[in-house]
PDB file of all heavy atoms in Angstrom:
ATOM      1  N   ASP A   1       0.840  -1.204   0.000  1.00  0.00           N
ATOM      2  CA  ASP A   1       0.000   0.000   0.000  1.00  0.00           C
ATOM      3  C   ASP A   1       0.872   1.249   0.000  1.00  0.00           C
ATOM      4  O   ASP A   1       0.588   2.217  -0.709  1.00  0.00           O
ATOM      5  CB  ASP A   1      -0.949   0.010   1.206  1.00  0.00           C
ATOM      6  CG  ASP A   1      -2.067  -1.016   1.059  1.00  0.00           C
ATOM      7  OD1 ASP A   1      -2.330  -1.460  -0.082  1.00  0.00           O
ATOM      8  OD2 ASP A   1      -2.676  -1.379   2.087  1.00  0.00           O
ATOM      9  N   LYS A   2       1.949   1.219   0.783  1.00  0.00           N
ATOM     10  CA  LYS A   2       2.869   2.355   0.851  1.00  0.00           C
ATOM     11  C   LYS A   2       3.503   2.612  -0.523  1.00  0.00           C
ATOM     12  O   LYS A   2       3.638   3.765  -0.950  1.00  0.00           O
ATOM     13  CB  LYS A   2       3.948   2.094   1.909  1.00  0.00           C
ATOM     14  CG  LYS A   2       4.922   3.233   2.094  1.00  0.00           C
ATOM     15  CD  LYS A   2       5.954   2.911   3.178  1.00  0.00           C
ATOM     16  CE  LYS A   2       6.967   4.024   3.325  1.00  0.00           C
ATOM     17  NZ  LYS A   2       8.010   3.701   4.302  1.00  0.00           N
ATOM     18  N   GLY A   3       3.884   1.564  -1.229  1.00  0.00           N
ATOM     19  CA  GLY A   3       4.468   1.696  -2.565  1.00  0.00           C
ATOM     20  C   GLY A   3       3.467   2.263  -3.556  1.00  0.00           C
ATOM     21  O   GLY A   3       3.806   3.127  -4.375  1.00  0.00           O
ATOM     22  N   ARG A   4       2.222   1.788  -3.495  1.00  0.00           N
ATOM     23  CA  ARG A   4       1.163   2.311  -4.369  1.00  0.00           C
ATOM     24  C   ARG A   4       0.905   3.787  -4.100  1.00  0.00           C
ATOM     25  O   ARG A   4       0.727   4.585  -5.025  1.00  0.00           O
ATOM     26  CB  ARG A   4      -0.131   1.521  -4.173  1.00  0.00           C
ATOM     27  CG  ARG A   4      -0.362   0.453  -5.227  1.00  0.00           C
ATOM     28  CD  ARG A   4      -1.734  -0.182  -5.119  1.00  0.00           C
ATOM     29  NE  ARG A   4      -1.941  -0.947  -3.907  1.00  0.00           N
ATOM     30  CZ  ARG A   4      -1.361  -2.102  -3.629  1.00  0.00           C
ATOM     31  NH1 ARG A   4      -0.539  -2.642  -4.493  1.00  0.00           N
ATOM     32  NH2 ARG A   4      -1.603  -2.738  -2.503  1.00  0.00           N
ATOM     33  N   GLN A   5       0.897   4.156  -2.821  1.00  0.00           N
ATOM     34  CA  GLN A   5       0.667   5.558  -2.458  1.00  0.00           C
ATOM     35  C   GLN A   5       1.806   6.442  -2.950  1.00  0.00           C
ATOM     36  O   GLN A   5       1.564   7.547  -3.449  1.00  0.00           O
ATOM     37  CB  GLN A   5       0.505   5.696  -0.943  1.00  0.00           C
ATOM     38  CG  GLN A   5      -0.804   5.124  -0.424  1.00  0.00           C
ATOM     39  CD  GLN A   5      -0.831   5.020   1.097  1.00  0.00           C
ATOM     40  OE1 GLN A   5       0.109   5.397   1.784  1.00  0.00           O
ATOM     41  NE2 GLN A   5      -1.932   4.479   1.624  1.00  0.00           N
ATOM     42  N   LEU A   6       3.030   5.978  -2.829  1.00  0.00           N
ATOM     43  CA  LEU A   6       4.176   6.755  -3.297  1.00  0.00           C
ATOM     44  C   LEU A   6       4.114   6.933  -4.808  1.00  0.00           C
ATOM     45  O   LEU A   6       4.338   8.031  -5.325  1.00  0.00           O
ATOM     46  CB  LEU A   6       5.491   6.097  -2.873  1.00  0.00           C
ATOM     47  CG  LEU A   6       6.765   6.857  -3.202  1.00  0.00           C
ATOM     48  CD1 LEU A   6       6.755   8.265  -2.589  1.00  0.00           C
ATOM     49  CD2 LEU A   6       7.977   6.084  -2.711  1.00  0.00           C
ATOM     50  N   PHE A   7       3.781   5.863  -5.520  1.00  0.00           N
ATOM     51  CA  PHE A   7       3.636   5.966  -6.976  1.00  0.00           C
ATOM     52  C   PHE A   7       2.540   6.975  -7.319  1.00  0.00           C
ATOM     53  O   PHE A   7       2.726   7.819  -8.208  1.00  0.00           O
ATOM     54  CB  PHE A   7       3.327   4.604  -7.598  1.00  0.00           C
ATOM     55  CG  PHE A   7       3.108   4.682  -9.085  1.00  0.00           C
ATOM     56  CD1 PHE A   7       4.193   4.874  -9.934  1.00  0.00           C
ATOM     57  CD2 PHE A   7       1.845   4.587  -9.627  1.00  0.00           C
ATOM     58  CE1 PHE A   7       4.000   4.963 -11.312  1.00  0.00           C
ATOM     59  CE2 PHE A   7       1.645   4.686 -11.001  1.00  0.00           C
ATOM     60  CZ  PHE A   7       2.726   4.869 -11.842  1.00  0.00           C
ATOM     61  N   ALA A   8       1.426   6.923  -6.626  1.00  0.00           N
ATOM     62  CA  ALA A   8       0.320   7.856  -6.881  1.00  0.00           C
ATOM     63  C   ALA A   8       0.741   9.304  -6.614  1.00  0.00           C
ATOM     64  O   ALA A   8       0.249  10.222  -7.278  1.00  0.00           O
ATOM     65  CB  ALA A   8      -0.884   7.487  -6.016  1.00  0.00           C
ATOM     66  N   GLN A   9       1.669   9.496  -5.689  1.00  0.00           N
ATOM     67  CA  GLN A   9       2.142  10.849  -5.395  1.00  0.00           C
ATOM     68  C   GLN A   9       3.029  11.401  -6.505  1.00  0.00           C
ATOM     69  O   GLN A   9       2.926  12.572  -6.858  1.00  0.00           O
ATOM     70  CB  GLN A   9       2.938  10.875  -4.082  1.00  0.00           C
ATOM     71  CG  GLN A   9       2.088  10.783  -2.844  1.00  0.00           C
ATOM     72  CD  GLN A   9       2.948  10.759  -1.581  1.00  0.00           C
ATOM     73  OE1 GLN A   9       4.143  10.464  -1.617  1.00  0.00           O
ATOM     74  NE2 GLN A   9       2.325  11.066  -0.448  1.00  0.00           N
ATOM     75  N   PHE A  10       3.926  10.589  -7.069  1.00  0.00           N
ATOM     76  CA  PHE A  10       4.830  11.130  -8.074  1.00  0.00           C
ATOM     77  C   PHE A  10       4.313  11.000  -9.495  1.00  0.00           C
ATOM     78  O   PHE A  10       4.793  11.677 -10.404  1.00  0.00           O
ATOM     79  CB  PHE A  10       6.266  10.601  -7.943  1.00  0.00           C
ATOM     80  CG  PHE A  10       6.517   9.220  -8.477  1.00  0.00           C
ATOM     81  CD1 PHE A  10       6.604   8.971  -9.824  1.00  0.00           C
ATOM     82  CD2 PHE A  10       6.712   8.160  -7.605  1.00  0.00           C
ATOM     83  CE1 PHE A  10       6.855   7.707 -10.314  1.00  0.00           C
ATOM     84  CE2 PHE A  10       6.967   6.881  -8.088  1.00  0.00           C
ATOM     85  CZ  PHE A  10       7.036   6.661  -9.440  1.00  0.00           C
ATOM     86  N   TRP A  11       3.284  10.167  -9.721  1.00  0.00           N
ATOM     87  CA  TRP A  11       2.766   9.994 -11.081  1.00  0.00           C
ATOM     88  C   TRP A  11       2.309  11.307 -11.721  1.00  0.00           C
ATOM     89  O   TRP A  11       2.633  11.556 -12.895  1.00  0.00           O
ATOM     90  CB  TRP A  11       1.661   8.945 -11.116  1.00  0.00           C
ATOM     91  CG  TRP A  11       0.949   8.917 -12.437  1.00  0.00           C
ATOM     92  CD1 TRP A  11      -0.346   9.234 -12.678  1.00  0.00           C
ATOM     93  CD2 TRP A  11       1.503   8.584 -13.716  1.00  0.00           C
ATOM     94  NE1 TRP A  11      -0.632   9.118 -14.017  1.00  0.00           N
ATOM     95  CE2 TRP A  11       0.499   8.721 -14.679  1.00  0.00           C
ATOM     96  CE3 TRP A  11       2.776   8.186 -14.132  1.00  0.00           C
ATOM     97  CZ2 TRP A  11       0.694   8.479 -16.036  1.00  0.00           C
ATOM     98  CZ3 TRP A  11       2.978   7.954 -15.496  1.00  0.00           C
ATOM     99  CH2 TRP A  11       1.950   8.097 -16.421  1.00  0.00           C
ATOM    100  N   PRO A  12       1.591  12.202 -11.036  1.00  0.00           N
ATOM    101  CA  PRO A  12       1.190  13.459 -11.693  1.00  0.00           C
ATOM    102  C   PRO A  12       2.396  14.265 -12.208  1.00  0.00           C
ATOM    103  O   PRO A  12       2.343  14.830 -13.308  1.00  0.00           O
ATOM    104  CB  PRO A  12       0.440  14.223 -10.601  1.00  0.00           C
ATOM    105  CG  PRO A  12      -0.090  13.150  -9.713  1.00  0.00           C
ATOM    106  CD  PRO A  12       0.987  12.087  -9.701  1.00  0.00           C
ATOM    107  N   MET A  13       3.487  14.300 -11.458  1.00  0.00           N
ATOM    108  CA  MET A  13       4.686  14.996 -11.893  1.00  0.00           C
ATOM    109  C   MET A  13       5.282  14.304 -13.120  1.00  0.00           C
ATOM    110  O   MET A  13       5.691  14.943 -14.082  1.00  0.00           O
ATOM    111  CB  MET A  13       5.691  15.029 -10.725  1.00  0.00           C
ATOM    112  CG  MET A  13       7.067  15.559 -11.064  1.00  0.00           C
ATOM    113  SD  MET A  13       8.224  14.372 -11.820  1.00  0.00           S
ATOM    114  CE  MET A  13       8.197  13.013 -10.677  1.00  0.00           C
ATOM    115  N   MET A  14       5.285  12.994 -13.102  1.00  0.00           N
ATOM    116  CA  MET A  14       5.832  12.228 -14.221  1.00  0.00           C
ATOM    117  C   MET A  14       4.969  12.425 -15.472  1.00  0.00           C
ATOM    118  O   MET A  14       5.488  12.606 -16.580  1.00  0.00           O
ATOM    119  CB  MET A  14       5.888  10.750 -13.833  1.00  0.00           C
ATOM    120  CG  MET A  14       6.641   9.882 -14.782  1.00  0.00           C
ATOM    121  SD  MET A  14       6.744   8.218 -14.047  1.00  0.00           S
ATOM    122  CE  MET A  14       7.506   7.346 -15.391  1.00  0.00           C
ATOM    123  N   TYR A  15       3.658  12.419 -15.293  1.00  0.00           N
ATOM    124  CA  TYR A  15       2.745  12.615 -16.425  1.00  0.00           C
ATOM    125  C   TYR A  15       2.897  14.027 -16.996  1.00  0.00           C
ATOM    126  O   TYR A  15       2.861  14.213 -18.213  1.00  0.00           O
ATOM    127  CB  TYR A  15       1.290  12.353 -16.021  1.00  0.00           C
ATOM    128  CG  TYR A  15       0.364  12.429 -17.208  1.00  0.00           C
ATOM    129  CD1 TYR A  15       0.273  11.354 -18.086  1.00  0.00           C
ATOM    130  CD2 TYR A  15      -0.363  13.578 -17.482  1.00  0.00           C
ATOM    131  CE1 TYR A  15      -0.547  11.428 -19.204  1.00  0.00           C
ATOM    132  CE2 TYR A  15      -1.174  13.659 -18.593  1.00  0.00           C
ATOM    133  CZ  TYR A  15      -1.263  12.577 -19.456  1.00  0.00           C
ATOM    134  OH  TYR A  15      -2.058  12.663 -20.570  1.00  0.00           O
ATOM    135  N   LYS A  16       3.100  15.007 -16.135  1.00  0.00           N
ATOM    136  CA  LYS A  16       3.300  16.389 -16.590  1.00  0.00           C
ATOM    137  C   LYS A  16       4.548  16.470 -17.464  1.00  0.00           C
ATOM    138  O   LYS A  16       4.529  17.073 -18.535  1.00  0.00           O
ATOM    139  CB  LYS A  16       3.425  17.331 -15.389  1.00  0.00           C
ATOM    140  CG  LYS A  16       3.650  18.786 -15.752  1.00  0.00           C
ATOM    141  CD  LYS A  16       3.758  19.641 -14.481  1.00  0.00           C
ATOM    142  CE  LYS A  16       3.944  21.098 -14.791  1.00  0.00           C
ATOM    143  NZ  LYS A  16       5.271  21.448 -15.272  1.00  0.00           N
ATOM    144  N   GLN A  17       5.619  15.842 -17.021  1.00  0.00           N
ATOM    145  CA  GLN A  17       6.856  15.846 -17.803  1.00  0.00           C
ATOM    146  C   GLN A  17       6.649  15.126 -19.136  1.00  0.00           C
ATOM    147  O   GLN A  17       7.106  15.587 -20.179  1.00  0.00           O
ATOM    148  CB  GLN A  17       7.984  15.189 -17.010  1.00  0.00           C
ATOM    149  CG  GLN A  17       9.332  15.305 -17.681  1.00  0.00           C
ATOM    150  CD  GLN A  17      10.464  14.838 -16.795  1.00  0.00           C
ATOM    151  OE1 GLN A  17      10.436  15.014 -15.597  1.00  0.00           O
ATOM    152  NE2 GLN A  17      11.456  14.220 -17.404  1.00  0.00           N
ATOM    153  N   TYR A  18       5.951  14.011 -19.107  1.00  0.00           N
ATOM    154  CA  TYR A  18       5.626  13.248 -20.318  1.00  0.00           C
ATOM    155  C   TYR A  18       4.822  14.129 -21.281  1.00  0.00           C
ATOM    156  O   TYR A  18       5.114  14.184 -22.484  1.00  0.00           O
ATOM    157  CB  TYR A  18       4.850  11.994 -19.894  1.00  0.00           C
ATOM    158  CG  TYR A  18       4.078  11.270 -20.945  1.00  0.00           C
ATOM    159  CD1 TYR A  18       4.704  10.460 -21.878  1.00  0.00           C
ATOM    160  CD2 TYR A  18       2.689  11.339 -20.967  1.00  0.00           C
ATOM    161  CE1 TYR A  18       3.973   9.753 -22.820  1.00  0.00           C
ATOM    162  CE2 TYR A  18       1.948  10.637 -21.899  1.00  0.00           C
ATOM    163  CZ  TYR A  18       2.596   9.855 -22.828  1.00  0.00           C
ATOM    164  OH  TYR A  18       1.864   9.161 -23.754  1.00  0.00           O
ATOM    165  N   SER A  19       3.832  14.846 -20.765  1.00  0.00           N
ATOM    166  CA  SER A  19       3.008  15.729 -21.594  1.00  0.00           C
ATOM    167  C   SER A  19       3.840  16.837 -22.224  1.00  0.00           C
ATOM    168  O   SER A  19       3.620  17.208 -23.383  1.00  0.00           O
ATOM    169  CB  SER A  19       1.876  16.340 -20.760  1.00  0.00           C
ATOM    170  OG  SER A  19       1.024  15.327 -20.297  1.00  0.00           O
ATOM    171  N   GLU A  20       4.788  17.373 -21.465  1.00  0.00           N
ATOM    172  CA  GLU A  20       5.651  18.437 -21.976  1.00  0.00           C
ATOM    173  C   GLU A  20       6.539  17.942 -23.116  1.00  0.00           C
ATOM    174  O   GLU A  20       6.782  18.660 -24.085  1.00  0.00           O
ATOM    175  CB  GLU A  20       6.496  19.026 -20.849  1.00  0.00           C
ATOM    176  CG  GLU A  20       5.681  19.847 -19.868  1.00  0.00           C
ATOM    177  CD  GLU A  20       6.437  20.231 -18.601  1.00  0.00           C
ATOM    178  OE1 GLU A  20       7.635  19.867 -18.461  1.00  0.00           O
ATOM    179  OE2 GLU A  20       5.823  20.900 -17.751  1.00  0.00           O
ATOM    180  N   VAL A  21       7.013  16.715 -23.017  1.00  0.00           N
ATOM    181  CA  VAL A  21       7.860  16.141 -24.067  1.00  0.00           C
ATOM    182  C   VAL A  21       7.078  16.048 -25.386  1.00  0.00           C
ATOM    183  O   VAL A  21       7.638  16.250 -26.460  1.00  0.00           O
ATOM    184  CB  VAL A  21       8.397  14.748 -23.654  1.00  0.00           C
ATOM    185  CG1 VAL A  21       9.029  14.013 -24.822  1.00  0.00           C
ATOM    186  CG2 VAL A  21       9.402  14.873 -22.524  1.00  0.00           C
ATOM    187  N   PHE A  22       5.782  15.784 -25.290  1.00  0.00           N
ATOM    188  CA  PHE A  22       4.971  15.596 -26.496  1.00  0.00           C
ATOM    189  C   PHE A  22       4.088  16.793 -26.826  1.00  0.00           C
ATOM    190  O   PHE A  22       3.178  16.689 -27.652  1.00  0.00           O
ATOM    191  CB  PHE A  22       4.144  14.309 -26.377  1.00  0.00           C
ATOM    192  CG  PHE A  22       4.992  13.080 -26.514  1.00  0.00           C
ATOM    193  CD1 PHE A  22       5.435  12.403 -25.395  1.00  0.00           C
ATOM    194  CD2 PHE A  22       5.403  12.640 -27.762  1.00  0.00           C
ATOM    195  CE1 PHE A  22       6.254  11.285 -25.508  1.00  0.00           C
ATOM    196  CE2 PHE A  22       6.225  11.525 -27.894  1.00  0.00           C
ATOM    197  CZ  PHE A  22       6.645  10.845 -26.764  1.00  0.00           C
ATOM    198  N   ALA A  23       4.388  17.940 -26.227  1.00  0.00           N
ATOM    199  CA  ALA A  23       3.626  19.158 -26.526  1.00  0.00           C
ATOM    200  C   ALA A  23       3.738  19.485 -28.016  1.00  0.00           C
ATOM    201  O   ALA A  23       4.820  19.388 -28.607  1.00  0.00           O
ATOM    202  CB  ALA A  23       4.136  20.323 -25.687  1.00  0.00           C
ATOM    203  N   GLY A  24       2.633  19.849 -28.628  1.00  0.00           N
ATOM    204  CA  GLY A  24       2.634  20.235 -30.036  1.00  0.00           C
ATOM    205  C   GLY A  24       2.669  19.074 -31.009  1.00  0.00           C
ATOM    206  O   GLY A  24       2.777  19.272 -32.221  1.00  0.00           O
ATOM    207  N   ILE A  25       2.587  17.864 -30.503  1.00  0.00           N
ATOM    208  CA  ILE A  25       2.610  16.672 -31.360  1.00  0.00           C
ATOM    209  C   ILE A  25       1.182  16.135 -31.434  1.00  0.00           C
ATOM    210  O   ILE A  25       0.549  15.893 -30.405  1.00  0.00           O
ATOM    211  CB  ILE A  25       3.597  15.625 -30.809  1.00  0.00           C
ATOM    212  CG1 ILE A  25       5.019  16.202 -30.879  1.00  0.00           C
ATOM    213  CG2 ILE A  25       3.485  14.306 -31.564  1.00  0.00           C
ATOM    214  CD1 ILE A  25       6.065  15.384 -30.189  1.00  0.00           C
ATOM    215  N   SER A  26       0.692  15.973 -32.658  1.00  0.00           N
ATOM    216  CA  SER A  26      -0.692  15.518 -32.840  1.00  0.00           C
ATOM    217  C   SER A  26      -0.848  14.057 -32.429  1.00  0.00           C
ATOM    218  O   SER A  26       0.135  13.310 -32.325  1.00  0.00           O
ATOM    219  CB  SER A  26      -1.115  15.682 -34.300  1.00  0.00           C
ATOM    220  OG  SER A  26      -0.476  14.697 -35.110  1.00  0.00           O
ATOM    221  N   GLU A  27      -2.084  13.668 -32.249  1.00  0.00           N
ATOM    222  CA  GLU A  27      -2.385  12.263 -31.911  1.00  0.00           C
ATOM    223  C   GLU A  27      -1.889  11.331 -33.021  1.00  0.00           C
ATOM    224  O   GLU A  27      -1.320  10.278 -32.745  1.00  0.00           O
ATOM    225  CB  GLU A  27      -3.898  12.090 -31.693  1.00  0.00           C
ATOM    226  CG  GLU A  27      -4.304  10.722 -31.198  1.00  0.00           C
ATOM    227  CD  GLU A  27      -3.805  10.386 -29.796  1.00  0.00           C
ATOM    228  OE1 GLU A  27      -3.672  11.299 -28.960  1.00  0.00           O
ATOM    229  OE2 GLU A  27      -3.549   9.190 -29.532  1.00  0.00           O
ATOM    230  N   ALA A  28      -2.082  11.733 -34.261  1.00  0.00           N
ATOM    231  CA  ALA A  28      -1.633  10.908 -35.397  1.00  0.00           C
ATOM    232  C   ALA A  28      -0.101  10.787 -35.402  1.00  0.00           C
ATOM    233  O   ALA A  28       0.438   9.697 -35.631  1.00  0.00           O
ATOM    234  CB  ALA A  28      -2.117  11.509 -36.712  1.00  0.00           C
ATOM    235  N   GLU A  29       0.599  11.901 -35.154  1.00  0.00           N
ATOM    236  CA  GLU A  29       2.064  11.851 -35.082  1.00  0.00           C
ATOM    237  C   GLU A  29       2.515  10.954 -33.942  1.00  0.00           C
ATOM    238  O   GLU A  29       3.468  10.179 -34.087  1.00  0.00           O
ATOM    239  CB  GLU A  29       2.639  13.257 -34.884  1.00  0.00           C
ATOM    240  CG  GLU A  29       2.525  14.154 -36.103  1.00  0.00           C
ATOM    241  CD  GLU A  29       2.920  15.586 -35.796  1.00  0.00           C
ATOM    242  OE1 GLU A  29       2.509  16.126 -34.746  1.00  0.00           O
ATOM    243  OE2 GLU A  29       3.641  16.175 -36.629  1.00  0.00           O
ATOM    244  N   TYR A  30       1.847  11.068 -32.804  1.00  0.00           N
ATOM    245  CA  TYR A  30       2.193  10.245 -31.648  1.00  0.00           C
ATOM    246  C   TYR A  30       2.002   8.765 -31.968  1.00  0.00           C
ATOM    247  O   TYR A  30       2.873   7.942 -31.673  1.00  0.00           O
ATOM    248  CB  TYR A  30       1.352  10.653 -30.426  1.00  0.00           C
ATOM    249  CG  TYR A  30       1.683   9.866 -29.184  1.00  0.00           C
ATOM    250  CD1 TYR A  30       2.779  10.192 -28.403  1.00  0.00           C
ATOM    251  CD2 TYR A  30       0.910   8.766 -28.807  1.00  0.00           C
ATOM    252  CE1 TYR A  30       3.095   9.466 -27.265  1.00  0.00           C
ATOM    253  CE2 TYR A  30       1.220   8.029 -27.673  1.00  0.00           C
ATOM    254  CZ  TYR A  30       2.316   8.385 -26.912  1.00  0.00           C
ATOM    255  OH  TYR A  30       2.630   7.651 -25.800  1.00  0.00           O
ATOM    256  N   GLU A  31       0.872   8.412 -32.564  1.00  0.00           N
ATOM    257  CA  GLU A  31       0.601   7.003 -32.901  1.00  0.00           C
ATOM    258  C   GLU A  31       1.629   6.471 -33.900  1.00  0.00           C
ATOM    259  O   GLU A  31       2.093   5.336 -33.764  1.00  0.00           O
ATOM    260  CB  GLU A  31      -0.823   6.841 -33.439  1.00  0.00           C
ATOM    261  CG  GLU A  31      -1.905   7.039 -32.389  1.00  0.00           C
ATOM    262  CD  GLU A  31      -1.759   6.120 -31.181  1.00  0.00           C
ATOM    263  OE1 GLU A  31      -1.392   4.930 -31.342  1.00  0.00           O
ATOM    264  OE2 GLU A  31      -1.995   6.604 -30.049  1.00  0.00           O
ATOM    265  N   THR A  32       2.017   7.287 -34.873  1.00  0.00           N
ATOM    266  CA  THR A  32       3.053   6.886 -35.833  1.00  0.00           C
ATOM    267  C   THR A  32       4.382   6.686 -35.116  1.00  0.00           C
ATOM    268  O   THR A  32       5.086   5.691 -35.348  1.00  0.00           O
ATOM    269  CB  THR A  32       3.201   7.937 -36.949  1.00  0.00           C
ATOM    270  OG1 THR A  32       1.950   8.031 -37.644  1.00  0.00           O
ATOM    271  CG2 THR A  32       4.308   7.569 -37.926  1.00  0.00           C
ATOM    272  N   PHE A  33       4.717   7.616 -34.236  1.00  0.00           N
ATOM    273  CA  PHE A  33       5.960   7.542 -33.470  1.00  0.00           C
ATOM    274  C   PHE A  33       6.019   6.258 -32.647  1.00  0.00           C
ATOM    275  O   PHE A  33       7.025   5.536 -32.660  1.00  0.00           O
ATOM    276  CB  PHE A  33       6.062   8.786 -32.571  1.00  0.00           C
ATOM    277  CG  PHE A  33       7.247   8.807 -31.661  1.00  0.00           C
ATOM    278  CD1 PHE A  33       8.534   8.929 -32.157  1.00  0.00           C
ATOM    279  CD2 PHE A  33       7.082   8.720 -30.285  1.00  0.00           C
ATOM    280  CE1 PHE A  33       9.634   8.957 -31.310  1.00  0.00           C
ATOM    281  CE2 PHE A  33       8.170   8.756 -29.431  1.00  0.00           C
ATOM    282  CZ  PHE A  33       9.447   8.870 -29.947  1.00  0.00           C
ATOM    283  N   ILE A  34       4.939   5.940 -31.935  1.00  0.00           N
ATOM    284  CA  ILE A  34       4.881   4.721 -31.117  1.00  0.00           C
ATOM    285  C   ILE A  34       5.022   3.480 -31.999  1.00  0.00           C
ATOM    286  O   ILE A  34       5.754   2.545 -31.657  1.00  0.00           O
ATOM    287  CB  ILE A  34       3.581   4.678 -30.281  1.00  0.00           C
ATOM    288  CG1 ILE A  34       3.553   5.813 -29.251  1.00  0.00           C
ATOM    289  CG2 ILE A  34       3.382   3.317 -29.621  1.00  0.00           C
ATOM    290  CD1 ILE A  34       4.688   5.758 -28.225  1.00  0.00           C
ATOM    291  N   SER A  35       4.369   3.492 -33.147  1.00  0.00           N
ATOM    292  CA  SER A  35       4.467   2.362 -34.074  1.00  0.00           C
ATOM    293  C   SER A  35       5.904   2.167 -34.546  1.00  0.00           C
ATOM    294  O   SER A  35       6.415   1.032 -34.578  1.00  0.00           O
ATOM    295  CB  SER A  35       3.542   2.608 -35.267  1.00  0.00           C
ATOM    296  OG  SER A  35       3.679   1.584 -36.215  1.00  0.00           O
ATOM    297  N   VAL A  36       6.576   3.252 -34.887  1.00  0.00           N
ATOM    298  CA  VAL A  36       7.972   3.181 -35.329  1.00  0.00           C
ATOM    299  C   VAL A  36       8.862   2.685 -34.200  1.00  0.00           C
ATOM    300  O   VAL A  36       9.737   1.832 -34.409  1.00  0.00           O
ATOM    301  CB  VAL A  36       8.450   4.551 -35.864  1.00  0.00           C
ATOM    302  CG1 VAL A  36       9.958   4.553 -36.091  1.00  0.00           C
ATOM    303  CG2 VAL A  36       7.716   4.901 -37.154  1.00  0.00           C
ATOM    304  N   LEU A  37       8.646   3.181 -32.980  1.00  0.00           N
ATOM    305  CA  LEU A  37       9.449   2.722 -31.836  1.00  0.00           C
ATOM    306  C   LEU A  37       9.280   1.220 -31.618  1.00  0.00           C
ATOM    307  O   LEU A  37      10.263   0.517 -31.341  1.00  0.00           O
ATOM    308  CB  LEU A  37       9.063   3.486 -30.572  1.00  0.00           C
ATOM    309  CG  LEU A  37       9.525   4.939 -30.499  1.00  0.00           C
ATOM    310  CD1 LEU A  37       8.970   5.601 -29.241  1.00  0.00           C
ATOM    311  CD2 LEU A  37      11.040   5.046 -30.539  1.00  0.00           C
ATOM    312  N   HIS A  38       8.056   0.719 -31.752  1.00  0.00           N
ATOM    313  CA  HIS A  38       7.838  -0.724 -31.586  1.00  0.00           C
ATOM    314  C   HIS A  38       8.570  -1.520 -32.655  1.00  0.00           C
ATOM    315  O   HIS A  38       9.147  -2.574 -32.361  1.00  0.00           O
ATOM    316  CB  HIS A  38       6.342  -1.050 -31.590  1.00  0.00           C
ATOM    317  CG  HIS A  38       5.683  -0.775 -30.280  1.00  0.00           C
ATOM    318  ND1 HIS A  38       5.797  -1.611 -29.190  1.00  0.00           N
ATOM    319  CD2 HIS A  38       4.917   0.257 -29.870  1.00  0.00           C
ATOM    320  CE1 HIS A  38       5.134  -1.120 -28.171  1.00  0.00           C
ATOM    321  NE2 HIS A  38       4.586   0.023 -28.551  1.00  0.00           N
TER     322      HIS A  38
END
């Protein structure tokens, strides 16, 4: 439970950083990018 709570605390910060990395990138570009990475 403590580990889950800690993850829940830092996830919003991690998601914010993730969102910033992909700012200005369309959904179609993102899906193409993910496909290429795979």
Side-chain angles (χ1 to χ4, degrees):
D1 288 341
K2 182 179 178 183
R4 261 188 294 290
Q5 289 169 2
L6 185 57
F7 177 74
Q9 285 178 341
F10 78 75
W11 170 245
M13 172 277 307
M14 190 174 174
Y15 185 79
K16 179 180 182 286
Q17 187 171 325
Y18 163 76
S19 297
E20 289 169 0
V21 168
F22 287 98
I25 295 171
S26 73
E27 186 66 32
E29 289 172 316
Y30 181 81
E31 290 304 321
T32 299
F33 176 68
I34 295 299
S35 176
V36 170
L37 287 175
H38 280 282

